[in-house]
Amino acid sequence: QSALTQPRSVSGSPGQSVTISCTGTSSNVGGYNYVSWYQQHPGKVPKLMIYDVTKRPSGVPARFSGSKSGNTASLTISGLQAEDEADYYCCSYAGSYTFAVFGSGTQVTVL
Amino acid sequence: EVQLVESGGGLVQPGGSLRLSCAASGFTFNNSWMHWVRQAPGKGLVWVSRINIEATSTSYADSVKGRFTISRDNAKNTLYLQMNSLRAEDTAVYYCVRNEHRENYFDYWGQGTLVTVSS
């Protein structure tokens, strides 16, 4: 399966909100409510931020939220902070064989 | 404390083989599906392979099918990836990743091991 489509970069000032889109197909994003989002700082290991489209793991700030409409999922960071500057990857369950397909990644810059 | 510790990476010539290992601790390994995810230098994350709890079912990305084999030893809490016929495009950091049984997201990641395929 092809990678899910994300914007290459988004930016915002501290305190602003930014939204990252993640577009797939009915075989992945549109077919299941199993979209997750991962944050990766340079040289670091990816960290789970959102799972099952809208759920936040313990310890993830409430300013991170997820949603989905049709074949497109979104991650919104409200009240942007300097430490949110990182790469973000969406990921969708894609069936029992392929299991997962990742997005192309989005670099978030805090101006 | 959850730990996933990969080993076995390194420099290998095109056409060569490597075997990656991932030692797991701090969680119930035999209630976990396990995966390998890779990331080429400066590129994005790519799912590579997965194995179910009993090691009776495996699957692979098309790019590695027929060349890579995933396996696990539940008695040793260890995951493996046998990589054969390596190509330059297999150069990447390989992460050992787990998803809890019946869940569909990756909650624990190892630190990764770098595989470089070059002559």
Side-chain angles (χ1 to χ4, degrees):
Chain A
Q1 295 201 17
S2 300
L4 307 177
T5 301
Q6 296 181 233
R8 184 175 296 271
S9 64
V10 299
S11 62
S13 299
Q16 288 186 330
S17 294
V18 295
T19 297
I20 303 167
S21 61
C22 169
T23 301
T25 69
S26 57
S27 297
N28 40 64
V29 175
Y32 309 94
N33 287 321
Y34 297 133
V35 175
S36 51
W37 290 88
Y38 302 86
Q39 177 193 64
Q40 186 179 34
H41 287 106
K44 300 297 186 182
V45 175
K47 175 187 175 183
L48 177 68
M49 304 300 284
I50 295 287
Y51 67 97
D52 294 354
V53 179
T54 62
K55 299 176 182 177
R56 274 181 295 107
S58 174
V60 172
R63 64 179 182 275
F64 290 88
S65 63
S67 63
K68 192 188 88 166
S69 178
N71 294 339
T72 298
S74 299
L75 173 72
T76 298
I77 310 173
S78 304
L80 200 59
Q81 298 187 7
E83 59 262 36
D84 300 333
E85 187 163 289
D87 293 327
Y88 291 82
Y89 295 91
C90 61
C91 182
S92 175
Y93 179 73
S96 61
Y97 188 80
T98 300
F99 192 88
V101 58
F102 283 94
S104 47
T106 298
Q107 182 177 55
V108 171
T109 301
V110 181
L111 302 172
Chain B
E1 178 193 8
V2 171
Q3 283 197 313
L4 290 167
V5 181
E6 302 95 336
S7 60
L11 176 63
V12 61
Q13 291 188 338
S17 298
L18 276 180
R19 189 194 197 202
L20 306 184
S21 299
C22 171
S25 60
F27 65 95
T28 307
F29 188 72
N30 58 15
N31 190 41
S32 304
W33 283 37
M34 297 299 297
H35 305 253
W36 291 97
V37 172
R38 71 184 182 184
Q39 186 171 34
K43 302 297 184 181
L45 300 169
V46 177
W47 174 83
V48 172
S49 182
R50 66 92 179 150
I51 187 167
N52 70 344
I53 294 171
E54 303 86 358
T56 55
S57 175
T58 60
S59 60
Y60 302 90
D62 287 344
S63 58
V64 307
K65 200 176 301 180
R67 300 187 298 122
F68 289 11
T69 302
I70 190 172
S71 61
R72 65 191 292 166
D73 184 335
N74 287 344
K76 295 182 178 180
N77 283 5
T78 302
L79 175 72
Y80 304 99
L81 186 67
Q82 177 67 42
M83 304 186 295
N84 298 331
S85 303
L86 283 161
R87 307 166 180 168
E89 54 265 36
D90 296 318
T91 294
V93 172
Y94 285 74
Y95 294 103
C96 168
V97 185
R98 96 105 190 209
N99 82 270
E100 189 176 4
H101 183 44
R102 300 189 186 283
E103 301 292 351
N104 296 292
Y105 55 88
F106 304 121
D107 52 1
Y108 303 147
W109 295 67
Q111 289 297 313
T113 186
L114 177 63
V115 172
T116 303
V117 185
S118 175
S119 54

